[in-house]
Amino acid sequence: MTATLDYDGDIAVLDLGDDENRFTPQFLDEVDALLDAVLEKGAHGLVTTADSKFYSNGLDLEWLGAHSDQGAWYVGRVQGLLARVLTFPLPTAAAVVGHAFGAGAMLAMAHDYRVMREDRGFFCFPEVDIHIPFTPGMAALIQAKLTPQAAIASMTTGRRFGGSEAHEHGIVDATAHEGAVTLAATSLLRPLGSKDQGTLGAIKQVMFGAAAAALRNP
């Protein structure tokens, strides 16, 4: 698994990888470095996508089980990435081309917009069924983006939402056919043009300050 960065005109397209795209420490380092590169390039927007039937399966529970003494550090790193994307000083969109589970779904939620494949793949917060309560930061992130009804429907049930259901609940902003999800995500951002990073970053810090602070202080 190796995350990669490409450009569609002025829109940066960050591919999370071609497997389950779980959040290994290496993955977290790679994505952080690529986000640095996006800002340095002066892109007008950021789309994250994947080359797999998974967008991301979230936490690497196998790694965490083998390194339980580093659990607090690991959760802090994951939440740091979520906070960074939540307040990223560019317009952002997640192209959810396949399954998005747990922290992988949270990564999608951290974006400004989400486009999901309409005919295949699930968007799911399985925490209630795998006996892993949400941290305050993770709960704050999700609740900052969803209506109370959608938060209850997704956070307390472990329900797997297909694309159309996710759209109906406001979990994603749009759906697209297979092969068109990433293009639909870039098309959402392209009309926005170039935004001043300092101004947009400050606006997002105000909008999502409480959730970002909860994520950065697990």
Side-chain angles (χ1 to χ4, degrees):
M1 174 189 70
T2 301
T4 57
L5 183 61
D6 202 352
Y7 289 85
D8 182 350
D10 292 319
I11 306 298
V13 181
L14 197 166
D15 189 323
L16 300 176
D18 60 3
D19 57 17
E20 293 188 15
N21 304 327
R22 290 185 180 270
F23 295 176
T24 64
Q26 178 186 351
F27 173 92
L28 296 169
D29 288 343
E30 288 177 357
V31 172
D32 260 333
L34 292 177
L35 292 177
D36 289 340
V38 169
L39 295 178
E40 291 170 7
K41 180 77 171 180
H44 291 182
L46 168 70
V47 168
T48 62
T49 186
D51 186 23
S52 171
K53 67 178 182 179
F54 297 93
Y55 173 76
S56 172
N57 244 353
L59 300 183
D60 187 345
L61 297 178
E62 183 177 340
W63 185 93
L64 189 56
H67 302 82
S68 57
D69 59 319
Q70 299 181 57
W73 170 86
Y74 177 71
V75 171
R77 285 283 283 111
V78 170
Q79 294 197 169
L81 175 62
L82 297 177
R84 185 177 190 190
V85 174
L86 180 64
T87 57
F88 202 64
L90 296 177
T92 60
V96 185
V97 295
H99 302 306
F101 276 73
M106 293 175 207
L107 177 61
M109 292 304 307
H111 292 67
D112 299 332
Y113 307 100
R114 286 154 296 286
V115 180
M116 186 172 175
R117 182 173 164 178
E118 64 185 7
D119 62 330
R120 193 172 183 181
F122 292 113
F123 196 105
C124 177
F125 299 119
E127 281 75 8
V128 69
D129 292 325
I130 59 175
H131 312 293
I132 300 179
F134 295 97
T135 67
M138 291 174 176
L141 163 62
I142 298 167
Q143 290 174 282
K145 293 301 186 81
L146 297 182
T147 65
Q149 294 88 345
I152 290 289
S154 58
M155 295 175 70
T156 69
T157 66
R159 178 176 172 182
R160 298 184 177 196
F161 293 87
S164 60
E165 292 176 315
H167 190 211
E168 289 169 6
H169 282 77
I171 295 170
V172 301
D173 300 278
T175 60
H177 296 294
E178 178 185 4
V181 180
T182 302
L183 177 61
T186 58
S187 297
L188 278 177
L189 301 187
R190 201 176 308 282
L192 300 178
S194 176
K195 306 297 183 188
D196 177 72
Q197 290 186 18
T199 304
L200 183 56
I203 288 171
K204 289 188 182 182
Q205 288 285 355
V206 171
M207 290 178 68
F208 305 119
L215 285 165
R216 292 188 173 115
N217 298 283

